[in-house]
Amino acid sequence: MTLKIALAQTNFLVGNIAANVNNIIKAANHARDELGADIIVFPELTITGYPAEDLLLRADFIAEANNAVYQLVDQVAGIALVVGFPEHDGDKIYNSAVVLHQGVRLACYRKQALPNYGVFDEQRYFAAGNQPCVFEFNGTFIGLTICEDVWQSGIIDATKQAGAELLLTINASPYNSGKIHQREAIICRQVKAAQIPLVYVNQIGGQDELIFDGASFVADSQGDIVFRAEEFKEQISVIEFDGSKPITNICVPLYNEIASDYQALVLGIKDYVRKNGFQGAILGLSGGIDSALVLALAVDALGHDKVEAVLMPSRYTQAMSIEDAVLEAQALGVKYHIISIEPAVNAFTGMLAEVFAGTTKDATEENIQARCRGVILMALSNKQGKLLLTTGNKSEMSVGYATLYGDMAGGFAPIKDVPKLLVYQLARFRNSLSKVIPERVITRPPSAELAPDQVDEDSLPPYEVLDPILERYVELDQSAEEIIAAGFRREDVARAITLVDRNEYKRRQSPPGIRITTRAFGRDRRYPITSGYRGI
Amino acid sequence: MTLKIALAQTNFLVGNIAANVNNIIKAANHARDELGADIIVFPELTITGYPAEDLLLRADFIAEANNAVYQLVDQVAGIALVVGFPEHDGDKIYNSAVVLHQGVRLACYRKQALPNYGVFDEQRYFAAGNQPCVFEFNGTFIGLTICEDVWQSGIIDATKQAGAELLLTINASPYNSGKIHQREAIICRQVKAAQIPLVYVNQIGGQDELIFDGASFVADSQGDIVFRAEEFKEQISVIEFDGSKPITNICVPLYNEIASDYQALVLGIKDYVRKNGFQGAILGLSGGIDSALVLALAVDALGHDKVEAVLMPSRYTQAMSIEDAVLEAQALGVKYHIISIEPAVNAFTGMLAEVFAGTTKDATEENIQARCRGVILMALSNKQGKLLLTTGNKSEMSVGYATLYGDMAGGFAPIKDVPKLLVYQLARFRNSLSKVIPERVITRPPSAELAPDQVDEDSLPPYEVLDPILERYVELDQSAEEIIAAGFRREDVARAITLVDRNEYKRRQSPPGIRITTRAFGRDRRYPITSGYRGI
């Protein structure tokens, strides 16, 4: 018998239960009327959005979510809904998927595998279910699973043994570089082993640090992908099944890794600005590669008329930096201001002259310059209700090559999880679409321009050396000895690791930014500030 | 047979395994030679310190910790050691307590109850043990348990049924107001029910947001406390047992709650400065109650010669604010500077004149003043290697009544978890020891002095109303309707809750501070910034 299943790859707002319910109803009516669907499947924790974090500890929030599901059962007819919600039962909360159809709760499944690693804290909120769930619909026996459940083998097998001929999986699976390939490979391997077709529905959208990439898919019982939705886009797609067998072969091809990263960053900026109600974004444009990339990302996310750039030269700013920054703003059609920081720097120098008498210049004076820029940018942000974007990259965040309350001032840090070498790749990728970053910005040696003739490599190993060391230490948890054994010089490893260890305090106060690696600073990497651990 | 057990209430540094091992050896030798102890019991995860957070995900760190225990078995003779460590077995890590004696590992217990709520993330790191552990020592059968294990009833019972006549519990139990009473009441109830004496060893010290208060104790089989160590002090005490029966009755009385909170804050500042290697601390002194209290706390923690105050008046600063700030610095013998912020404020006003032309004054101009103070303070902090303490309280952090990168600039926020009304109580308590805060500072209406004749109550409900609303909403997770039903005006509740909801982004970038309530902002309360949840 024919079965039409709609995959609702939606972008909901965490916490806004009333709006999410309305969007569920709209999507279900659309899928029924326009697409002829029999069932519509929404992502994990549809009702609350994912991750709702400690909102899940609030009794009022849980009650509202459960009440919403209770009411939803009567609000849509003629189509079955599979919806995720935090199910309240006694003194426990489960991460559940409920099937609603014609005024009846057909089935309710409680997630068994609760991830509690990386960015996930599900054992903080949820009790684990302990049994499979299968329901009959139009003569087909359908099993329910949720996200982490299908990354393991046992749960798929148990659901099949309980009678399932077809699996529905609702997910909130966050993006990182290469994640889509990894996800499809692992899950399709389980599918193939269990010989059961699977419908995988993922949410999309940015939520603070996390990007959800969508790329929902259908695999047949051989583990071959016969349908794939677009990455990074809201989309409702209908797939026809003959019983449990999918009758389709429409796979949107995947972006390459750099293009995916770029799209993830654009989506992250767009959703942070939109979901938090900002009027647009502003940023400081230095003439360097980092701010050039952030400007391009912001314009691609928000449109040129919503983005504003500020050039803030000092006595150490080279003429070409100003020229290039102006060219960038002009190429993207962005309004810009030029405000010299000299009057403020001079004021502070005078105010501190007495207490600093007899001391020698050091990083303090460099930080004052960066902080004057922070004050200017925040003033513009406050006055206009525009989000201030910081432009620091992951290499800088790792080694603390940034000024707290200076260039680190801002509400969102789009490239804080992008290592410097990837910044260059993304800039070249963006230029391949249309030339917006002057070539000189990509080729000149990076500099903070906080002292005469300063370049980054005066105090750091070259990024070709630094970035792989940082990846091994921060993302892969390798020890100094392992990194040295892999062919890096002891002094470079020592310099990099020492700086990473020492700068946790700065990272703790940095704005949130978009996670695109397997370990981002933030909720993903939780280090103590007070620590006697020395990696070397 | 007589048994002398040493309770090692130690203050170790998270992450510094080598130093911690040396301190274990020193303490054990001291307990054996000077105190005649047969066994010395250390706190939970002695080897690594607690909480070591994501250091526990590093293979090198885990290997070092396990190797340290392997070597420790031969390094102390003539006394048994009970030491906590992250036990590595196959692909799992356990939170374990090992008994080392005369070159032999007598027993090893794996913690069964792994807390994963509030500030605890133990299921992120550890697998749970599943059996009790009892060993014989000098004819007495001793059971081992770890922290959360003894807050529940089942594990104590199971350990007794496995033959234990006496329980040792190793702990890292963090402080909050009233916690010591709660802890003793709950655990002694379990002890009384199971009729088994218990030795409770807690660590002390500050670790980022957390304070460990010590207050180690011994309860007899009736659940009566027959020994209690001091709060907030390192201490090694020996208790004599006749078999499993404690022969002692020396209980240090507990401080009252205000005095405990004060000691906790002093210890928190002291350990953050000491363990992170700062030369001392500086802070901005406004003439208001918050900075007056932080100054007193800092001096009590570090000594007057390690603390420096900066007065930064503007055109809106009242003369009495400067007078009072000077009196505070003088009363505590602290060096102070007076630096007017007017030159910097004027410089920024001029720099922004063109882009701000035609706009009206708003919070932007107030924030510029606060940020000029932030730049000055950070310059002094950077130049001297002194920790900048922020002076914002919990009421302000809750409603966002603070300027990011302005008065929120700093490395540590001692009173960020202290509600305003408690700030007054602590100030009066400190004055009861010796008069250091002028009476006028306590009695005048609080003001940020960022605009003419400004007082906090212009934009906030009175603190007598605000603080209890915040406690209900933030700490107790009550809904707006519950709070209104408890007798608060709807408009006050709405104002408070709306501000709490909106200001998560500020809190996310605030420095760490000392947790003294049951729910502090930081690792304890994890809210999304991007959120459609509205408490009202």
Side-chain angles (χ1 to χ4, degrees):
Chain A
M1 190 166 173
T2 292
L3 184 65
K4 285 186 166 175
I5 302 181
L7 285 66
Q9 181 170 298
T10 50
N11 186 354
F12 284 1
L13 179 56
V14 161
N16 197 338
I17 292 171
N20 295 345
V21 167
N22 279 337
N23 288 328
I24 288 169
I25 294 170
K26 260 190 251 168
N29 289 335
H30 167 80
R32 181 195 59 209
D33 299 339
E34 312 296 324
L35 307 173
D38 303 303
I39 308 184
I40 181 166
V41 185
F42 291 90
E44 184 174 8
L45 291 171
T46 328
I47 295 280
T48 58
Y50 189 99
E53 304 188 66
D54 280 6
L55 288 172
L56 294 167
L57 302 179
R58 300 194 69 88
D60 58 342
F61 187 72
I62 294 294
E64 189 187 351
N66 280 268
N67 195 41
V69 170
Y70 181 77
Q71 305 208 331
L72 192 55
V73 73
D74 291 323
Q75 288 172 297
V76 185
I79 184 168
L81 281 67
V82 180
V83 168
F85 79 113
E87 184 193 359
H88 185 194
D89 185 14
D91 61 348
K92 290 188 173 148
I93 311 289
Y94 298 90
N95 182 341
S96 293
V98 67
V99 186
L100 308 176
H101 188 231
Q102 307 293 57
V104 174
R105 204 184 262 234
L106 272 192
C108 190
Y109 169 71
R110 293 169 173 177
K111 186 175 184 179
Q112 299 177 69
L114 299 174
N116 206 63
Y117 55 81
V119 299
F120 302 108
D121 283 306
E122 292 199 17
Q123 292 170 30
R124 181 175 172 89
Y125 309 110
F126 300 115
N130 55 19
Q131 50 193 357
C133 173
V134 179
F135 65 100
E136 188 191 346
F137 189 82
N138 286 5
T140 302
F141 288 87
I142 300 175
L144 293 171
T145 50
I146 304 178
C147 210
E148 189 83 0
D149 286 338
V150 297
W151 290 69
Q152 307 178 357
S153 53
I155 294 169
I156 289 183
D157 290 340
T159 309
K160 188 177 177 185
Q161 279 175 10
E165 302 166 297
L166 169 64
L167 279 185
L168 303 183
T169 307
I170 70 172
N171 308 273
S173 179
Y175 175 80
N176 56 251
S177 285
K179 175 73 170 282
I180 302 177
H181 292 284
Q182 183 204 20
R183 185 194 294 145
E184 292 185 353
I186 289 176
I187 294 170
C188 289
R189 198 189 315 137
Q190 320 281 11
V191 164
K192 189 176 180 184
Q195 297 271 308
I196 183 165
L198 173 141
V199 175
Y200 185 98
V201 178
N202 193 17
Q203 72 175 14
I204 82 127
Q207 172 60 31
D208 291 348
E209 300 177 346
L210 300 182
I211 299 298
F212 297 90
D213 52 81
S216 300
F217 64 88
V218 175
D220 66 17
S221 62
Q222 295 311 302
D224 291 325
I225 290 184
V226 293
F227 169 81
R228 184 189 298 118
E230 286 198 72
E231 297 166 70
F232 307 113
K233 287 224 177 79
E234 269 197 292
Q235 189 179 328
I236 300 181
S237 327
V238 162
I239 308 304
E240 198 171 332
F241 288 76
D242 178 9
S244 65
K245 190 176 148 45
I247 317 169
T248 178
N249 209 335
I250 315 166
C251 292
V252 177
L254 293 174
Y255 294 119
N256 70 42
E257 213 164 279
I258 299 295
S260 271
D261 286 347
Y262 195 89
Q263 292 304 324
L265 297 170
V266 167
L267 178 59
I269 295 171
K270 186 176 176 175
D271 273 7
Y272 195 87
V273 167
R274 180 176 67 86
K275 293 180 176 177
N276 287 293
F278 288 100
Q279 300 304 308
I282 68 162
L283 75 165
L285 206 56
S286 70
I289 183 77
D290 298 315
S291 61
L293 175 63
V294 174
L295 181 71
L297 289 164
V299 169
D300 290 344
L302 308 172
H304 69 96
D305 54 327
K306 295 286 189 193
V307 181
E308 200 171 308
V310 191
L311 285 65
M312 293 167 291
S314 77
R315 70 198 75 171
Y316 305 119
T317 305
Q318 294 192 42
M320 71 167 158
S321 299
I322 304 177
E323 289 163 23
D324 290 343
V326 168
L327 287 173
E328 292 159 16
Q330 288 173 340
L332 288 159
V334 159
K335 182 175 164 187
Y336 65 94
H337 313 281
I338 303 183
I339 302 175
S340 161
I341 59 166
E342 290 292 321
V345 172
N346 290 335
F348 283 116
T349 307
M351 290 155 72
L352 288 162
E354 200 180 317
V355 279
F356 280 6
T359 65
T360 50
K361 280 201 180 186
D362 56 19
T364 306
E365 283 75 12
E366 300 187 11
N367 287 335
I368 288 173
Q369 298 169 54
R371 291 192 179 117
C372 286
R373 294 193 173 104
V375 174
I376 292 285
L377 289 167
M378 284 303 298
L380 284 160
S381 167
N382 290 164
K383 189 62 98 185
Q384 305 182 78
K386 288 186 177 164
L387 174 67
L388 173 56
L389 299 174
T390 67
T391 61
N393 61 58
K394 188 175 195 174
S395 311
E396 292 172 355
M397 285 301 101
S398 301
V399 297
Y401 201 71
T403 300
L404 260 177
Y405 326 129
D407 52 307
M408 288 177 67
F412 200 59
I415 61 170
K416 79 180 271 197
D417 198 36
V418 181
K420 187 80 174 187
L421 297 180
L422 183 54
V423 169
Y424 285 105
Q425 289 182 284
L426 289 166
R428 290 195 186 282
F429 166 77
R430 181 60 186 80
N431 269 357
S432 76
L433 305 181
S434 68
K435 181 95 180 172
V436 294
I437 301 172
E439 189 60 25
R440 185 166 66 176
V441 174
I442 299 179
T443 53
R444 66 184 280 208
S447 164
E449 296 196 325
L450 293 169
D453 303 320
Q454 186 180 42
V455 293
D456 292 8
E457 291 190 11
D458 294 343
S459 42
L460 296 175
Y463 288 108
E464 288 73 15
V465 174
L466 181 64
D467 275 5
I469 294 174
L470 293 174
E471 184 188 6
R472 287 166 183 272
Y473 189 65
V474 173
E475 289 170 41
L476 304 176
D477 280 337
Q478 289 185 5
S479 68
E481 294 309 324
E482 286 175 281
I483 301 172
I484 292 163
F488 294 88
R489 295 195 311 167
R490 181 171 292 273
E491 66 197 80
D492 289 337
V493 174
R495 175 93 185 124
I497 287 183
T498 303
L499 289 171
V500 173
D501 289 347
R502 272 195 205 149
N503 282 288
E504 187 55 32
Y505 75 101
K506 279 193 193 178
R507 291 188 288 267
R508 196 67 72 87
Q509 289 188 50
S510 69
I514 301 163
R515 176 178 181 271
I516 64 159
T517 71
T518 52
R519 187 171 291 158
F521 296 116
R523 299 267 158 121
D524 201 4
R525 186 180 190 266
R526 307 176 189 176
Y527 268 54
I529 297 176
T530 302
S531 169
Y533 175 78
R534 294 293 172 260
I536 193 148
Chain B
M1 193 167 172
T2 293
L3 184 64
K4 284 184 167 179
I5 302 181
L7 284 66
Q9 180 170 298
T10 49
N11 186 355
F12 284 1
L13 180 55
V14 161
N16 197 337
I17 293 173
N20 295 345
V21 167
N22 279 338
N23 288 328
I24 289 170
I25 295 170
K26 259 190 248 168
N29 288 336
H30 167 79
R32 180 194 60 210
D33 298 340
E34 312 297 324
L35 307 173
D38 302 301
I39 308 185
I40 181 167
V41 184
F42 291 91
E44 184 174 7
L45 290 171
T46 327
I47 295 281
T48 58
Y50 188 99
E53 303 187 64
D54 279 7
L55 289 171
L56 294 167
L57 302 179
R58 299 194 70 88
D60 58 343
F61 187 71
I62 295 294
E64 187 186 353
N66 280 267
N67 195 39
V69 171
Y70 181 76
Q71 303 207 333
L72 191 58
V73 72
D74 291 322
Q75 287 172 298
V76 185
I79 184 168
L81 279 67
V82 180
V83 167
F85 79 114
E87 184 192 359
H88 185 195
D89 185 15
D91 61 349
K92 291 190 173 145
I93 310 289
Y94 297 91
N95 181 341
S96 295
V98 66
V99 186
L100 308 175
H101 187 231
Q102 306 293 55
V104 174
R105 207 184 260 234
L106 270 192
C108 190
Y109 169 72
R110 292 168 173 177
K111 187 176 183 178
Q112 299 178 68
L114 298 174
N116 206 64
Y117 56 82
V119 300
F120 301 108
D121 283 305
E122 291 198 17
Q123 293 170 29
R124 183 175 171 89
Y125 309 109
F126 300 115
N130 55 17
Q131 50 192 356
C133 173
V134 179
F135 65 99
E136 187 190 347
F137 190 81
N138 285 6
T140 301
F141 287 88
I142 300 175
L144 293 170
T145 51
I146 303 178
C147 210
E148 190 83 0
D149 287 336
V150 297
W151 291 69
Q152 308 180 354
S153 54
I155 294 169
I156 290 181
D157 290 340
T159 310
K160 189 179 175 182
Q161 278 174 11
E165 302 166 295
L166 169 65
L167 279 186
L168 303 182
T169 307
I170 70 173
N171 307 273
S173 179
Y175 176 79
N176 57 251
S177 286
K179 175 74 168 281
I180 302 177
H181 292 284
Q182 183 205 19
R183 183 193 292 146
E184 292 185 353
I186 290 176
I187 295 170
C188 288
R189 197 188 320 136
Q190 321 281 12
V191 164
K192 191 176 177 184
Q195 297 272 310
I196 184 168
L198 174 143
V199 174
Y200 184 99
V201 178
N202 192 18
Q203 73 176 13
I204 82 127
Q207 171 61 27
D208 291 347
E209 300 177 346
L210 300 181
I211 299 298
F212 297 90
D213 50 82
S216 301
F217 64 88
V218 176
D220 66 18
S221 60
Q222 295 312 301
D224 291 325
I225 290 185
V226 294
F227 168 81
R228 182 188 301 118
E230 286 197 72
E231 295 166 71
F232 307 112
K233 287 225 176 79
E234 269 198 292
Q235 188 180 330
I236 301 180
S237 325
V238 162
I239 307 302
E240 197 171 333
F241 289 76
D242 179 9
S244 65
K245 189 178 151 40
I247 316 168
T248 176
N249 209 335
I250 314 166
C251 294
V252 177
L254 293 174
Y255 293 119
N256 69 44
E257 214 165 277
I258 299 294
S260 271
D261 286 346
Y262 195 90
Q263 292 303 323
L265 296 170
V266 166
L267 177 59
I269 296 172
K270 185 177 176 175
D271 273 7
Y272 195 88
V273 168
R274 179 176 68 85
K275 293 180 176 177
N276 287 294
F278 287 100
Q279 300 303 308
I282 69 161
L283 76 164
L285 207 56
S286 70
I289 185 77
D290 298 315
S291 60
L293 175 62
V294 174
L295 181 71
L297 290 164
V299 169
D300 289 346
L302 309 172
H304 69 97
D305 53 326
K306 295 284 188 192
V307 181
E308 200 170 309
V310 191
L311 285 64
M312 294 167 291
S314 77
R315 71 198 76 170
Y316 303 120
T317 306
Q318 293 192 46
M320 72 168 158
S321 299
I322 304 176
E323 289 164 23
D324 289 344
V326 168
L327 286 173
E328 292 159 16
Q330 288 172 340
L332 288 159
V334 160
K335 181 176 167 186
Y336 66 93
H337 312 282
I338 303 182
I339 302 176
S340 162
I341 60 166
E342 290 292 323
V345 172
N346 290 335
F348 283 116
T349 307
M351 292 156 71
L352 289 162
E354 201 180 316
V355 281
F356 279 7
T359 65
T360 51
K361 280 202 179 183
D362 56 18
T364 306
E365 284 74 13
E366 299 186 11
N367 287 335
I368 289 173
Q369 299 167 54
R371 292 192 178 115
C372 287
R373 294 193 174 105
V375 174
I376 292 285
L377 289 167
M378 284 304 297
L380 284 160
S381 167
N382 289 165
K383 190 62 97 184
Q384 306 181 76
K386 287 185 176 165
L387 174 68
L388 174 56
L389 300 173
T390 67
T391 61
N393 60 60
K394 187 174 196 176
S395 311
E396 291 172 356
M397 285 301 100
S398 301
V399 297
Y401 201 72
T403 300
L404 261 176
Y405 326 128
D407 52 305
M408 287 177 67
F412 199 59
I415 61 170
K416 81 182 269 198
D417 198 37
V418 181
K420 188 79 172 187
L421 296 180
L422 183 55
V423 169
Y424 285 104
Q425 289 183 286
L426 289 166
R428 290 196 186 281
F429 166 77
R430 181 60 186 80
N431 268 358
S432 76
L433 305 180
S434 67
K435 181 94 181 174
V436 294
I437 301 172
E439 190 60 24
R440 186 167 65 177
V441 174
I442 300 179
T443 54
R444 67 185 280 208
S447 165
E449 295 194 328
L450 294 168
D453 303 321
Q454 186 180 44
V455 293
D456 293 8
E457 293 191 10
D458 294 344
S459 44
L460 295 175
Y463 288 109
E464 288 73 16
V465 173
L466 181 64
D467 276 5
I469 295 174
L470 293 173
E471 184 187 5
R472 287 167 184 271
Y473 188 65
V474 173
E475 289 170 43
L476 305 176
D477 279 337
Q478 290 185 5
S479 69
E481 295 308 325
E482 285 175 282
I483 301 172
I484 291 163
F488 295 89
R489 295 195 313 165
R490 182 170 292 271
E491 65 195 82
D492 289 336
V493 173
R495 175 93 186 124
I497 287 183
T498 304
L499 289 170
V500 172
D501 289 346
R502 274 194 203 147
N503 282 288
E504 187 56 32
Y505 74 101
K506 279 193 192 178
R507 291 187 290 266
R508 196 68 72 87
Q509 291 190 47
S510 69
I514 301 162
R515 177 180 181 270
I516 65 159
T517 72
T518 52
R519 185 171 293 157
F521 297 117
R523 301 269 156 120
D524 200 3
R525 188 181 189 267
R526 307 176 190 176
Y527 268 55
I529 296 176
T530 303
S531 169
Y533 175 78
R534 295 292 172 263
I536 194 152

